[in-house]
Amino acid sequence: MGFLGSLRSLSPMARRLVLMRLAIYLGMQCAYFIGVVGTLTYAFGGGVTENALGIVLLNGCIVLGSFVGGPLLDRVGPRRFFCVVVGALVATSLLYQLFAQSTEGVLVGAALLGASWGMGDLVAKSFPAYLSDDPDELKTINSVVYTVSNIAVIVGPLAGGIVASAASPQAVFWLLGVCALMGMVPALGFRPVRDPHAGEALPGAKDDSLRAGFSTVFGSAALALLFWSCFFSFLGYGAFDPLESLYYRDVLRVDVEWMGWLSAAAGVGGVVGSMLVMRLPARLVNIRTLLAVLASEGIFALLYVGTSWLVAACAGQILLGMAFGMLTPLLNTLVQSHAPLGVLGRVNAVLGFGNNVAGVAPLLCAPALAEVLGVQGTLVSASLLVLVMPLLVSLIRRHEIAQLVAEETGNDA
């Protein structure tokens, strides 16, 4: 089934969710790469240290936002939670205009964006499970949600690049607030189908704190394996955020608008990848497939940053985007299938914490590594790490993976 067929097959509530996610994520993509990193690199002439600090703040505040948002979602439900997300994004859009006249102000803006982003990500990660508990239906909803998310990855940077060229990189934050407000239109009629408090499955699920999220993740063999697989694989990506803009400027030797064009190329690949998941047989929606996709990201990242050729960088971005486009709906479907609905917000907060800590840790050494290896050398080393980590997890945990796959497919290990 193709994208349009999958979209038509969704329930009315699921189609509303798709539009809600598209609106807020489009604004985020308009604002993030060009508005934060582009401003630091091009408007203020920043280097690795300034960019690394900006991304550390943003990723750290994404963790804080998800830590606040996870328990809040589980407590108030998806409808009221979405209103909070929209309010946070609009406030960030307005406050950024006051702060973005200096490097320090941009860093404050990055922190605000990160906090609202951390809450907003829970819309895509958790909301599908409020609509269905059927694995095939969850796979379809997640695939469509991330197909439109990757369309936003195309359109957002393109729109941001146009605004940055016509005005300034800082101006793209206006799009963040406008898009967030547009998300309220489909949200007005959104109603959850499933009761999150019906039949809690794990001890501690009624605990209203994040502790319930941690105990659920590490008390489940499947969720713990998903946590560690993504954590170790994401370690390599921390070096990308502060160095990519410098790679564009100093290695590829392109102007700021190419930050938008190359990000859009990744979005094209992402659309293809998330659509491939729609066609994936249910028996292949498992941890083994997830690890294979994680390893492929390392291969495509090497193509993306391994040369000084713009054509190779574009091809690498498309393929890397395709792998990411497959990864996220696969991961979310597996998490939503294994986590009780009553603690799903907190479970996703914990998983997001792992991914963002893995992304932040390399930022601390990225400036020093860039001094020794150069910008491109550091990016190539990070890509190799992305490739090797899921292969090691597959080898070390092979018996556990085989057992989980057998349980999910109904076969003997």
Side-chain angles (χ1 to χ4, degrees):
M1 186 184 298
F3 172 70
L4 292 179
S6 297
L7 183 60
R8 284 193 293 267
S9 73
L10 296 181
S11 67
M13 290 301 109
R15 287 197 288 269
R16 285 183 178 274
L17 172 58
V18 169
L19 292 175
M20 290 155 61
R21 166 64 173 182
L22 174 62
I24 62 171
Y25 201 61
L26 179 61
M28 293 175 186
Q29 289 299 319
C30 288
Y32 160 57
F33 200 40
I34 295 176
V36 175
V37 181
T39 300
L40 290 172
T41 301
Y42 286 89
F44 298 128
V48 178
T49 301
E50 291 82 3
N51 286 355
L53 183 57
I55 303 305
V56 164
L57 280 171
L58 186 136
N59 285 345
C61 289
I62 285 176
V63 172
L64 292 177
S66 65
F67 274 5
V68 172
L72 181 64
L73 170 59
D74 292 336
R75 184 163 59 248
V76 306
R79 296 190 72 236
R80 284 188 285 176
F81 180 78
F82 189 78
C83 294
V84 174
V85 169
V86 169
L89 291 170
V90 171
T92 298
S93 173
L94 296 174
L95 290 172
Y96 191 78
Q97 309 308 319
L98 301 176
F99 295 138
Q101 307 308 312
S102 66
T103 297
E104 294 77 11
V106 173
L107 295 178
V108 172
L112 292 172
L113 177 62
S116 56
W117 193 312
M119 290 192 293
D121 259 357
L122 293 171
V123 173
K125 292 178 178 179
S126 300
F127 279 33
Y130 286 93
L131 303 179
S132 176
D133 60 353
D134 178 75
D136 283 339
E137 188 174 359
L138 280 176
K139 183 195 73 171
T140 301
I141 295 172
N142 282 301
S143 298
V144 174
V145 164
Y146 278 94
T147 297
V148 301
S149 297
N150 284 297
I151 291 172
V153 174
I154 302 170
V155 177
L158 289 175
I162 292 170
V163 171
S165 298
S168 68
Q170 298 97 314
V172 299
F173 263 75
W174 285 117
L175 299 174
L176 176 68
V178 171
C179 291
L181 289 172
M182 289 172 59
M184 286 303 300
V185 177
L188 291 175
F190 181 80
R191 299 287 187 278
V193 175
R194 299 179 63 207
D195 178 1
H197 302 294
E200 298 286 9
L202 291 179
K206 295 184 183 298
D207 181 355
D208 202 32
S209 72
L210 270 172
R211 181 174 54 192
F214 280 97
S215 63
T216 301
V217 169
F218 296 108
S220 163
L223 293 174
L225 186 57
L226 289 171
F227 178 95
W228 291 117
S229 297
C230 292
F231 176 85
F232 287 118
S233 297
F234 278 37
L235 278 173
Y237 287 113
F240 273 73
D241 283 338
L243 298 180
E244 269 185 291
S245 61
L246 302 176
Y247 171 67
Y248 296 158
R249 187 186 68 186
D250 301 337
V251 179
L252 296 180
R253 300 187 182 280
V254 294
D255 293 327
V256 64
E257 56 267 23
W258 275 97
M259 295 178 67
W261 312 149
L262 283 167
S263 294
V268 172
V271 170
V272 175
S274 53
M275 290 177 67
L276 286 175
V277 174
M278 295 178 195
R279 298 178 177 273
L280 199 65
R283 61 186 174 81
L284 294 181
V285 180
N286 57 50
I287 183 65
R288 188 173 286 147
T289 302
L290 187 81
L291 288 166
V293 172
L294 285 169
S296 74
E297 290 177 354
I299 297 172
F300 300 145
L302 285 170
L303 175 61
Y304 170 40
V305 300
T307 75
S308 59
W309 301 337
L310 186 57
V311 172
C314 289
Q317 272 285 63
I318 292 171
L319 291 170
L320 186 56
M322 184 176 70
F324 268 115
M326 294 188 68
L327 172 68
T328 313
L330 277 173
L331 175 61
N332 286 353
T333 300
L334 291 171
V335 172
Q336 292 158 14
S337 298
H338 287 286
L341 185 59
V343 291
L344 183 56
R346 282 162 286 177
V347 165
N348 275 314
V350 171
L351 291 169
F353 165 75
N355 293 344
N356 282 288
V357 168
V360 168
L363 290 171
L364 303 177
C365 55
L369 287 174
E371 287 289 329
V372 176
L373 302 176
V375 168
Q376 189 172 27
T378 304
L379 290 173
V380 168
S381 300
S383 301
L384 288 170
L385 187 64
V386 174
L387 170 60
V388 168
M389 283 301 183
L391 299 179
L392 288 177
V393 171
S394 298
L395 179 64
I396 295 170
R397 307 294 289 273
R398 61 186 182 278
H399 297 302
E400 186 177 351
I401 291 169
Q403 183 176 356
L404 287 171
V405 171
E407 290 173 357
E408 290 170 345
T409 58
N411 298 322
D412 293 329

